[in-house]
Amino acid sequence: MQQHLERISRISAHLKPPMNDSPVGDNSSIWRSNCRAKGGSPGFNVAILGAAGGIGQPLAMLMKMNPLVSVLHLYDVVNTPGVTADISHMDTEAVVRGFLGQQQLENALTGMDLVIIPAGVPRKPGMTRDDLFNINAGIVKTLCEGIAKCCPKAIVNIISNPVNSTVPIAAEVFKNTGVYDPRRLLGVTMLDVVRANTFVAEVLGLDPREVFVPVVGGHAGITILPLLSQVKPSYSFTKEETEYLTSRIQNGGTEVVEAKAGTGSATLSMAYAAVKFADACLRGLRGDAGIIECAFVASQVTELPFFASRVRLGRNGVEEIYPLGPLNEHERIGLEKAKQELTGSIDKGIAFIRK
């Protein structure tokens, strides 16, 4: 049993390396000492919309393990009771409640501090990008209307693809209902950063947790722009290395789809990245200092209304957006290509609501 707990501890530590004051006693070795205890101060209320899906299920499991979560609401249009029963058996502090169907959406959202949206469908064989957009755009619109009504002050993490369009859709819904706060709406691009850190670490022979690559732009294809010239620890890549790494990071999703041979897409790594980002948002809400991640947000970093770059997270969501910093020639060319592609995706999302 102790060996099993130690294994879970290692997994938890990889998501968020332990603070200096952990671990606590033998029976609680998987949690940090600031974990919510009986009679202690409560954590945060988190809702996952699309909790029964390929991303939603592992996402729900990992959020149940997060000591900053006190209440976890799982919502979907199918299969939520089974997922809720399964997750609720985990011996961690968060209380899990399930909600099934649109008639229970408002109950799922009431009182939430953080809402994570992986809902939607993955692209399937024979489905065009327009097919995917029309389905997921409608889903995101409906869910954001619920958020606007029931928890307008919540931090909203959008995972549903295409993120480059669904974040503008969410913004338009919130504007139309008079609750839009650009600081509280974030498109999750963390998977691009996770992949960049992993792939760069492979090239450098380092632990991926010791590597940070800022990834800017958007969350699809050439809009994904890893700034390899700004990698930490500092390293000068050759032209060949830069081209190889940039291409692999941009096409990481395709790599998984092809490896799964038509049986699925990047669900597990996406759930991991989503939890890593959600944890950063919760630490920001708690008031921790220096929480800096990349996200697709309303921005003035470029002339585009939305752009992914490094942001500082705090009690109100995005507290500060950082400039891109110095770019090399390869990155400047990539930036122009990314912006051209992003413009169409953003406009498409806005037009979906305004039509």
Side-chain angles (χ1 to χ4, degrees):
M1 181 64 180
Q2 184 62 32
Q3 187 178 20
H4 177 64
L5 290 174
E6 288 174 356
R7 176 171 171 77
I8 297 176
S9 177
R10 289 195 297 273
I11 296 170
S12 299
H14 189 74
L15 286 171
K16 174 64 175 75
M19 309 294 284
N20 292 333
D21 56 359
S22 66
V24 293
D26 289 343
N27 293 330
S28 305
S29 63
I30 65 171
W31 301 124
R32 303 193 297 274
S33 64
N34 62 359
C35 172
R36 184 174 76 98
K38 293 293 183 186
S41 58
F44 296 100
N45 298 339
V46 178
I48 299 175
L49 309 184
I55 297 170
Q57 291 195 40
L59 172 56
M61 183 187 74
L62 293 169
M63 289 306 293
K64 178 73 165 77
M65 296 170 65
N66 191 309
L68 296 181
V69 179
S70 60
V71 174
L72 182 62
H73 282 190
L74 306 181
Y75 169 86
D76 214 319
V77 294
V78 293
N79 301 330
T80 325
V83 175
T84 304
D86 200 355
I87 296 290
S88 69
H89 291 181
M90 295 170 60
D91 59 347
T92 63
E93 196 71 26
V95 175
V96 182
R97 302 188 184 109
F99 302 85
L100 179 64
Q102 193 167 340
Q103 70 276 10
Q104 294 188 6
L105 177 60
E106 292 185 10
N107 290 337
L109 289 169
T110 300
M112 294 297 104
D113 301 303
L114 172 67
V115 180
I116 309 171
I117 309 181
V121 299
R123 190 177 177 192
K124 300 173 183 176
M127 181 183 287
T128 67
R129 292 190 183 277
D130 283 340
D131 293 335
L132 178 67
F133 171 85
N134 288 330
I135 295 170
N136 286 355
I139 292 170
V140 170
K141 175 179 180 291
T142 298
L143 297 177
C144 287
E145 288 169 346
I147 293 169
K149 181 177 180 180
C150 301
C151 54
K153 297 294 186 182
I155 306 297
V156 180
N157 289 356
I158 303 283
I159 299 171
S160 306
N161 275 319
V163 167
N164 296 348
S165 298
T166 52
V167 170
I169 286 170
E172 290 299 306
V173 170
F174 295 148
K175 287 176 185 177
N176 290 346
T177 51
V179 301
Y180 181 51
D181 183 345
R183 300 173 300 174
R184 297 178 182 273
L185 175 62
L186 304 95
V188 179
T189 61
M190 179 66 86
L191 181 53
D192 302 321
V193 177
V194 166
R195 285 172 172 154
N197 294 344
T198 300
F199 302 159
V200 167
E202 288 176 1
V203 170
L204 299 184
L206 297 174
D207 183 332
R209 293 171 296 179
E210 298 174 356
V211 175
F212 174 69
V213 182
V215 182
V216 303
H219 185 55
I222 63 170
T223 70
I224 300 168
L225 182 61
L227 301 183
L228 295 169
S229 67
Q230 298 180 27
V231 64
K232 304 290 183 187
S234 180
Y235 184 84
S236 295
F237 294 100
T238 66
K239 180 182 178 182
E240 291 74 19
E241 288 172 331
T242 298
E243 291 176 350
Y244 161 76
L245 286 167
T246 300
S247 176
R248 191 175 178 203
I249 293 163
Q250 289 177 340
N251 296 293
T254 301
E255 182 177 319
V256 175
V257 169
E258 291 177 350
K260 289 189 174 183
T263 63
S265 58
T267 52
L268 302 176
S269 55
M270 182 65 249
Y272 166 82
V275 168
K276 193 172 182 181
F277 187 73
D279 182 70
C281 290
L282 293 177
R283 286 183 286 125
L285 282 173
R286 187 174 63 178
D288 292 16
I291 308 299
I292 300 172
E293 301 291 353
C294 293
F296 186 67
V297 297
S299 172
Q300 295 181 336
V301 166
T302 70
E303 65 274 20
L304 300 180
F306 297 91
F307 198 80
S309 62
R310 292 186 309 131
V311 302
R312 179 170 58 82
L313 301 170
R315 293 190 187 277
N316 295 302
V318 177
E319 301 283 2
E320 185 177 2
I321 301 174
Y322 295 99
L324 297 180
L327 306 181
N328 61 29
E329 182 180 4
H330 182 270
E331 292 161 352
R332 287 193 295 271
I333 293 171
L335 177 61
E336 293 308 310
K337 292 179 180 178
K339 288 194 296 184
Q340 184 176 357
E341 183 77 15
L342 264 176
T343 298
S345 299
I346 293 169
D347 290 346
K348 188 172 185 178
I350 294 172
F352 179 81
I353 298 298
R354 293 184 180 179
K355 66 183 179 183

